């Protein structure tokens, strides 16, 4: 059995090409790049209640505020810790909080905090959620995440897809383990190589605000609080149980299926990012409402392959020969005329 109870694919999948209707519930494109409607486009018509779920999450801003304040309190508390304990708590606690904040930023990038009518409020709130991470991230994530939804698996467009160099180099268990540990670096550098874009005003503002916050924390608490925050980000986004979602979402554990959901307890601290098939079907529905999509329209989701453990996902990714950075669907897509 493969990850989370899935049957493993029968052979190595080296950037399998995708055709029309490859994955139920996931936008797919033919070789020419034309956008085909997602298969379950019917639920809103069949279930009008789904449309009512497309509203802001009223609790998101308060949850994020609490998480940011908790990390600032942790900065104060770690000043007197020995380095080994600082790194331990950065992994065990700070890593969970900072990784969760990246997923809050993901939700906010879909205007889940204040709604589409207040887009600028969402952009600035994402920058606020970014503060405990130590490095600017939110504005760049927004810029590229649009393409992930619009051109899922698009060659040279979706920077979530590893490069050919990554697929060729990280092909043994030890190398794949290293690749997982270095995920923050690959996610940061890959866009610059695959799909470089002009720096935006919000990215500059994001960087300035982050630098001001880092300088303030360093001035008030010294080096240890900054090391704690940076280590929380690097360790929490690297080889960490929550990071299993990076692999679980779109790596082809079963041939012919490129998007998977996970319905386990780690959704409680990750804004339901595990409901990933539902999220790609309805990106405007905030994470808090995604379980209701499955509850309202179970016939569209319950029969699909799903993961049951992100830790098992990571284990199988490392030790299954048929899995690795190459195990992704890759498409040739045409650019939309209104590309952002």
């Amino acid at each position: 059995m493969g990850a989370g109870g899935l049957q493993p694919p029968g052979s190595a999948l080296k950037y399998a090409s995708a055709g029309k209707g490859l994955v139920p519930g996931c936008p797919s494109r033919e070789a020419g790049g034309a956008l085909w409607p997602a298969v379950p486009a019917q639920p809103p018509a069949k279930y009008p209640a789904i449309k009512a779920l497309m509203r802001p999450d009223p609790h998101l801003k308060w949850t994020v505020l609490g998480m940011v304040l908790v990390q600032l309190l942790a900065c104060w508390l770690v000043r007197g810790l020995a380095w080994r304990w600082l790194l331990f708590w950065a992994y065990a606690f700070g890593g969970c909080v900072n990784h969760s904040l990246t997923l809050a930023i993901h939700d906010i990038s879909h205007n889940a905090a204040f709604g589409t009518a207040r887009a600028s409020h969402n952009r600035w709130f994402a920058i606020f959620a970014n503060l405990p991470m130590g490095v600017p991230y939110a504005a760049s994530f927004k810029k590229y995440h649009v393409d992930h939804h619009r051109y899922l698996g698009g060659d040279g467009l979706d920077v979530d897809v590893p490069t050919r160099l990554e697929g060729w180099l990280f092909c043994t268990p030890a190398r794949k383990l290293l690749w997982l540990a270095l995920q923050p670096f690959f996610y940061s550098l890959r866009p610059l190589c695959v799909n470089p874009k002009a720096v935006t005003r919000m990215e500059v503002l994001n960087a300035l605000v982050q630098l001001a916050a880092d300088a303030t924390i360093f001035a008030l608490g010294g080096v240890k609080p900054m090391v704690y925050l940076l280590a929380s980000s690097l360790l929490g986004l690297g080889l960490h149980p929550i990071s299993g979602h990076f692999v679980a979402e779109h790596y082809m554990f079963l041939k012919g299926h490129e998007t998977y959901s996970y319905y386990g307890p780690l959704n409680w601290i990750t804004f339901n990012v595990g409901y990933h098939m539902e999220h790609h079907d309805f990106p405007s529905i905030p994470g808090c409402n995604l379980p209701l999509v499955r509850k309202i329209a179970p016939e569209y989701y319950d029969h699909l392959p799903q993961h049951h453990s992100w830790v098992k996902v990571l284990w199988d990714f490392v030790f299954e020969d048929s899995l690795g950075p190459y195990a992704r669907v890759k498409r040739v897509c045409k650019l939309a005329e209104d590309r952002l």
Side-chain angles (χ1 to χ4, degrees):
M1 298 296 285
L6 295 174
Q7 293 287 344
S11 60
L13 301 164
K14 296 196 174 182
Y15 288 140
S17 61
K20 175 182 176 183
L22 178 66
V23 182
C26 206
S28 59
R29 298 159 178 82
E30 62 183 350
L35 176 64
W36 291 83
V39 172
Q42 303 93 331
K46 186 176 180 181
Y47 300 107
I50 287 182
K51 188 173 183 179
L53 302 178
M54 300 175 185
R55 60 180 187 270
D57 178 354
H59 305 295
L60 180 58
K61 53 184 173 291
W62 305 114
T63 302
V64 169
L65 174 62
M67 294 167 68
V68 171
L69 293 177
V70 163
Q71 281 295 73
L72 293 178
L73 175 61
C75 286
W76 183 262
L77 295 176
V78 300
R79 292 175 306 141
L81 286 183
W83 285 107
R84 64 180 181 277
W85 285 109
L86 184 148
L87 294 175
F88 169 81
W89 287 112
Y91 182 85
F93 178 75
C96 296
V97 177
N98 276 14
H99 198 136
S100 185
L101 280 170
T102 68
L103 298 172
I105 290 171
H106 166 256
D107 242 18
I108 297 166
S109 75
H110 290 282
N111 298 313
F114 298 98
T116 55
R118 296 180 176 179
S120 63
H121 288 57
N122 289 286
R123 302 294 86 77
W124 280 107
F125 190 62
I127 290 175
F128 172 76
N130 193 154
L131 294 180
M133 296 179 61
V135 293
Y137 161 83
S140 297
F141 175 82
K142 166 68 178 176
K143 181 171 70 174
Y144 283 101
H145 192 61
V146 170
D147 288 344
H148 174 63
H149 279 272
R150 182 173 287 181
Y151 309 108
L152 181 62
D155 188 16
L157 295 171
D158 182 2
V159 297
D160 188 61
V161 178
T163 63
R164 291 188 177 275
L165 177 62
E166 291 172 72
W168 173 78
L169 185 60
F170 298 100
C171 56
T172 67
R175 293 180 187 179
K176 286 190 282 185
L177 197 66
L178 178 63
W179 184 79
L180 291 172
L182 297 178
Q183 278 302 290
F185 297 101
F186 287 114
Y187 268 88
S188 299
L189 299 176
R190 191 184 298 137
L192 303 178
C193 301
V194 173
N195 187 16
K197 297 184 179 184
V199 176
T200 66
R201 176 175 174 270
M202 285 306 298
E203 286 178 296
V204 173
L205 294 172
N206 190 176
L208 292 175
V209 170
Q210 191 64 53
L211 286 172
D214 292 349
T216 302
I217 292 171
F218 178 78
L220 295 176
V223 69
K224 283 189 175 180
M226 280 309 306
V227 171
Y228 167 78
L229 291 179
L230 292 171
S232 295
S233 297
L234 294 175
L235 297 175
L237 293 166
L239 195 58
H240 193 281
I242 298 178
S243 294
H245 81 87
F246 288 136
V247 177
E249 291 165 358
H250 296 297
Y251 284 79
M252 206 185 306
F253 284 77
L254 280 177
K255 190 172 183 179
H257 292 273
E258 70 171 309
T259 304
Y260 304 82
S261 286
Y262 156 81
Y263 301 121
L266 287 179
N267 279 302
W268 301 342
I269 59 172
T270 57
F271 298 92
N272 287 324
V273 74
Y275 288 76
H276 216 67
M277 185 70 77
E278 293 84 345
H279 171 62
H280 273 266
D281 285 347
F282 305 103
S284 58
I285 294 180
C288 66
N289 288 337
L290 289 176
L292 296 176
V293 173
R294 184 190 180 206
K295 184 177 180 180
I296 292 169
E299 67 271 28
Y300 289 94
Y301 301 104
D302 286 353
H303 68 287
L304 298 175
Q306 58 189 251
H307 294 293
H308 301 288
S309 167
W310 281 340
V311 174
K312 184 69 162 59
V313 164
L314 293 174
W315 179 274
D316 284 349
F317 181 82
V318 170
F319 293 106
E320 292 280 353
D321 291 338
S322 57
L323 293 171
Y326 264 142
R328 289 290 298 262
V329 170
K330 207 172 188 182
R331 299 180 174 86
V332 176
C333 301
K334 290 181 180 178
L335 287 177
E337 293 182 0
D338 61 337
R339 188 186 180 203
L340 299 178

